[in-house]
Amino acid sequence: MADFKEDAAALLEAIGGQENVAAVTHCATRMRFALEDPGKADVDRIESLPSVKGTFTQAGQFQVIIGNKVSDFYQEFEAVSGLEGTSKDQVKAQAKGNQSAFQRGLAFMAEVFAPIIPAFIVGGLILGFRNLLSGIPLDMLGGQTLVEASTFWAGLNDFLWLPSEAIFHFLPVGITWSVVKKMGGTQILGIILGITLVSGQLLNAYDAPAAILNGEVPIWDFGFFTLDKIGYQGQVLPALFAGLTLGYLERFFRKHVPEYLSMILVPFLALFPSIILAHTVLGPVGWRIGTWIGSIVYAGLTSSLSWLFGAVFGALYAPLVVTGLHHMSNAVDAQLIADYQGTGLWPMIALSNIAQGSAVLAVWWMTRHDEEESQVTIPAAISAYLGVTEPALFGINLKYMYPLVAGMIGSALAGLLSTATKVTANSIGIGGLPGFLVIQVPSMPWFFLAMLVALVVPFLLTILFRKTGFLVKDGQGQKETTEHQEATDQEAEPRTAPASAQAETSKETLASVANGKVKAITAVDDEVFSQKMMGDGFAVEPADGRVVSPVAGKVTSVFPTKHAIGLESDAGVEILIHMGLDTVDLEGGPFTIKVPTGQAVDIGTELAEMDLEAIREAGKGTDIVVVFTEADQYESLDFDFDQVDQAGQRVGYLIK
């Protein structure tokens, strides 16, 4: 075991001493602290420690990246501090004290909507396809749409209404399930509660305004009072409020009902009052609040000042992503879709993704001769163009600042154009360039023009800012010129390694760990990995749950929560395989380990099985990250991800 005693003692002092630690634990790569006063942590001193690869704060936790020897470091830390480790849940609970009520609310909303977003995306794509079938007259069909001209396409269009209705009309079922699941309640009760909000016995929410106006609302008649039979199809807040009520009631009665009666009484005492409250108080109040929010945003999107609303939202969306506030937009989009059969907010989000990607692309263009920089900029730009901007924002744009501002300006102009021309989406969709897939047909030409603005303006502004020194740190503006000259000099004077050095050079073959798309580690939606704090490597978006060895070697460690495995190759390369993102919280549930510590493995030897559906339902990412934790000791990592989509297929070499 490595000797971390000195660094552990220094870390304890740098985080403010024992009295500043409310709770501490660790995962496969990081020490996780809940600190009494996060301001006492001396970040610069901590990051200067030899054992520390970086720090960051997430969800109120102060996290210190150590690497795959974190368990050894943790033992030394326990010894020098006298502190006993706690569970992951205890640390998370303690860390909530470092968050404001507003931050905790945002985190809760994000975790509730995360499992539902895939349904939004699928629904939006289906609606977009149905719009193409029924909304575009074709000259070759005599001005008819495909639905009007073909029985087959008419039947398909009619059939596709089935999944569309399941997703959008019955959205409250998904919300109540997700809320109750998040609160640790009985999930089937959440589903039942959601069904009572959209039952066929009720007046469809989409027909309610006309029925109310005409006095035709059906009622339950209890003799001395009546209750309207109105459903909440597509509504967000009524379902959210109802789910919260069920979750809190179930918690309350589980604490106060004797255990021998719990199975009988708790479900009834929690569910029945929740249903009553949902149809008497929570539903009407939630609907009214949701309508107010939706109408305010809709007014901003459609008023004479819509251009200003679009410019402001377009400019500020990227900073909202940095703060985490952007998660609120999912609920607003859902409300707009329910009330107005489309959303003008989501197109601006897709445009912001594109704008930040274009800013990164400009940084790549100016530093394209810097191979190390390109390993970060190219994957970050691609990721942003596909709707995931965190690698671009945290890896490039925030670091340099001037690309962030250029992206914000481009996004503002694109948002202005989008709202001024009333661009509308059917639903939330895939962000970035594929965003056009869910745009309503009449809006598509304007959306493509707005996309062009988001592509071109940030790119040109980023180059302009760098050339003129606007928001550029001293000396940074000339970096590309120096790099280009250095590259030219190197090309003019090719050098050959001495024969002795060539003899010592060896290649370690690296293979994919799973079936699925292989990508650069910089494209992973986790800043610890994407910024290479742990080391270089690659990641796989798994198509199934089977995980195999990327090298020939042996298993050196299996983490207690089963989400990470350590390997050492035959050539001595240390490798960490991290299954999923932030999956340490799942306490091993979705993982089945197939190999013991010490077992020899070859490329393709099965290491583990992941339950991808369980990971997604928990709101976690499924990427498998392969990190070479001591890659800096080797000459280079040579990756070639093209055409790689099978477990055991070569992805490159580690050159020693």
Side-chain angles (χ1 to χ4, degrees):
M1 184 175 77
D3 186 3
F4 294 118
K5 186 174 182 179
E6 206 172 298
D7 282 3
L11 174 61
L12 178 64
E13 184 179 344
I15 61 174
Q18 181 180 359
E19 64 278 4
N20 196 37
V21 180
V24 60
T25 187
H26 72 98
C27 60
T29 59
R30 317 165 198 177
M31 295 281 290
R32 297 179 176 227
F33 295 93
L35 300 179
E36 298 286 356
D37 181 1
K40 290 183 179 180
D42 187 342
V43 173
D44 290 339
R45 183 181 172 192
I46 293 169
E47 293 186 344
S48 70
L49 297 175
S51 305
V52 174
K53 294 179 170 63
T55 67
F56 70 102
T57 299
Q58 185 180 68
Q61 294 182 33
F62 182 69
Q63 302 190 21
V64 181
I65 301 96
I66 303 296
N68 63 346
K69 294 186 184 296
V70 67
S71 59
D72 295 341
F73 188 98
Y74 181 72
Q75 290 178 33
E76 293 284 12
F77 186 84
E78 278 190 317
V80 301
S81 67
L83 294 165
E84 291 188 6
T86 53
S87 71
K88 313 296 184 300
D89 289 338
Q90 286 174 307
V91 173
K92 289 174 72 174
Q94 290 282 352
K96 286 183 178 179
N98 296 328
Q99 296 178 288
S100 66
F102 183 60
Q103 288 173 318
R104 291 195 295 272
L106 285 176
F108 181 85
M109 288 288 286
E111 291 176 10
V112 165
F113 275 92
I116 305 173
I117 288 175
F120 277 125
I121 293 174
V122 171
L125 292 173
I126 291 172
L127 286 178
F129 183 61
R130 294 183 74 244
N131 279 347
L132 293 175
L133 294 178
S134 62
I136 301 181
L138 300 174
D139 291 339
M140 62 181 180
L141 298 178
Q144 291 183 305
T145 65
L146 284 170
V147 166
E148 292 169 336
S150 166
T151 302
F152 170 78
W153 291 115
L156 180 61
N157 182 63
D158 190 33
F159 177 79
L160 288 177
W161 176 245
L162 190 65
S164 298
E165 182 183 41
I167 292 168
F168 294 111
H169 284 218
F170 301 140
L171 175 64
V173 180
I175 293 175
T176 52
W177 160 77
S178 188
V179 171
V180 172
K181 179 176 181 290
K182 169 63 183 167
M183 297 181 71
T186 305
Q187 296 175 41
I188 186 61
L189 297 183
I191 293 171
I192 293 169
L193 176 61
I195 292 172
T196 67
L197 298 176
V198 296
S199 169
Q201 296 184 37
L202 306 172
L203 175 66
N204 192 303
Y206 296 99
D207 300 327
I212 293 172
L213 188 64
N214 298 325
E216 299 174 349
V217 178
I219 59 171
W220 285 292
D221 190 348
F222 296 94
F224 58 94
F225 74 95
T226 61
L227 190 61
D228 290 341
K229 290 185 177 181
I230 295 180
Y232 295 95
Q233 289 83 354
Q235 294 294 312
V236 176
L237 291 183
L240 187 66
F241 293 163
L244 286 168
T245 301
L246 174 59
Y248 280 117
L249 286 177
E250 187 172 358
R251 283 183 180 179
F252 175 82
F253 287 117
R254 285 204 184 281
K255 287 181 181 178
H256 294 88
V257 171
E259 182 141 1
Y260 60 88
L261 294 175
S262 180
M263 179 77 70
I264 300 171
L265 293 181
V266 170
F268 177 80
L269 293 174
L271 181 62
F272 193 64
S274 297
I275 296 172
I276 295 173
L277 288 170
H279 284 281
T280 56
V281 179
L282 303 174
V285 170
W287 193 337
R288 180 59 59 89
I289 294 173
T291 301
W292 286 343
I293 294 172
S295 62
I296 291 170
V297 176
Y298 189 73
L301 292 167
T302 58
S303 71
S304 58
L305 293 177
S306 61
W307 58 272
L308 179 60
F309 180 90
V312 172
F313 185 85
L316 295 182
Y317 185 75
L320 289 178
V321 173
V322 174
T323 63
L325 295 174
H326 66 299
H327 292 297
M328 291 296 294
S329 66
N330 293 326
V332 178
D333 274 316
Q335 190 67 48
L336 289 172
I337 294 163
D339 291 345
Y340 304 104
Q341 290 72 58
T343 172
L345 202 62
W346 188 86
M348 291 189 286
I349 293 172
L351 294 170
S352 178
N353 298 156
I354 296 169
Q356 292 299 322
S358 293
V360 175
L361 191 66
V363 174
W364 166 77
W365 175 254
M366 292 182 293
T367 61
R368 61 191 181 279
H369 300 293
D370 183 341
E371 186 176 341
E372 185 176 346
E373 184 85 345
S374 295
Q375 289 177 358
V376 178
T377 52
I378 293 175
I382 294 172
S383 176
Y385 281 146
L386 295 177
V388 180
T389 54
E390 281 80 358
L393 287 170
F394 291 106
I396 303 294
N397 294 355
L398 269 174
K399 181 169 68 175
Y400 296 138
M401 190 52 70
Y402 68 92
L404 175 68
V405 174
M408 290 171 62
I409 294 172
S411 179
L413 293 174
L416 184 155
L417 179 60
S418 178
T419 50
T421 56
K422 308 296 186 289
V423 172
T424 306
N426 293 304
S427 173
I428 298 168
I430 303 172
L433 293 174
F436 74 92
L437 293 170
V438 295
I439 300 298
Q440 293 181 359
V441 173
S443 299
M444 276 196 178
W446 288 112
F447 185 72
F448 283 127
L449 184 59
M451 284 176 67
L452 184 63
V453 171
L455 282 165
V456 174
V457 171
F459 186 89
L460 296 178
L461 283 179
T462 301
I463 294 175
L464 177 64
F465 289 167
R466 183 155 182 163
K467 295 293 186 183
T468 59
F470 179 68
L471 293 176
V472 178
K473 297 175 183 178
D474 291 343
Q476 197 178 56
Q478 288 75 42
K479 183 179 179 184
E480 69 275 10
T481 304
T482 304
E483 289 161 348
H484 177 72
Q485 185 61 49
E486 289 175 352
T488 304
D489 292 343
Q490 289 171 3
E491 290 169 6
E493 300 177 14
R495 288 176 286 177
T496 304
S500 59
Q502 291 179 7
E504 293 173 1
T505 299
S506 64
K507 284 185 177 181
E508 180 85 28
T509 300
L510 310 173
S512 177
V513 293
N515 295 324
K517 178 185 175 184
V518 181
K519 61 185 181 182
I521 197 169
T522 50
V524 174
D525 190 15
D526 184 310
E527 62 183 284
V528 171
F529 294 122
S530 64
Q531 295 186 26
K532 302 183 183 180
M533 295 180 187
M534 289 287 305
D536 207 343
F538 63 92
V540 182
E541 298 175 7
D544 55 49
R546 185 170 174 265
V547 182
V548 305
S549 175
V551 295
K554 67 177 180 179
V555 179
T556 56
S557 63
V558 175
F559 202 71
T561 48
K562 303 179 184 178
H563 72 297
I565 297 174
L567 302 177
E568 182 179 329
S569 75
D570 288 340
V573 179
E574 292 190 357
I575 301 163
L576 174 70
I577 300 174
H578 197 286
M579 295 176 284
L581 303 179
D582 205 27
T583 46
V584 64
D585 298 334
L586 305 183
E587 299 293 343
F591 307 104
T592 303
I593 302 299
K594 304 289 188 176
V595 290
T597 300
Q599 178 172 317
V601 294
D602 290 318
I603 289 178
T605 299
E606 187 172 17
L607 301 177
E609 187 79 24
M610 302 167 61
D611 186 339
L612 299 181
E613 191 59 35
I615 294 171
R616 294 189 187 104
E617 287 181 359
K620 308 295 185 181
T622 58
D623 282 0
I624 305 170
V625 187
V626 181
V627 184
F628 303 96
T629 55
E630 296 181 349
D632 56 344
Q633 298 179 15
Y634 301 90
E635 182 179 326
S636 67
L637 280 164
D638 180 17
F639 291 128
D640 182 6
F641 301 145
D642 291 344
Q643 309 300 320
V644 179
D645 59 6
Q646 297 294 319
Q649 196 172 351
R650 182 176 61 79
V651 298
Y653 300 101
L654 193 150
I655 303 172
K656 191 174 181 180

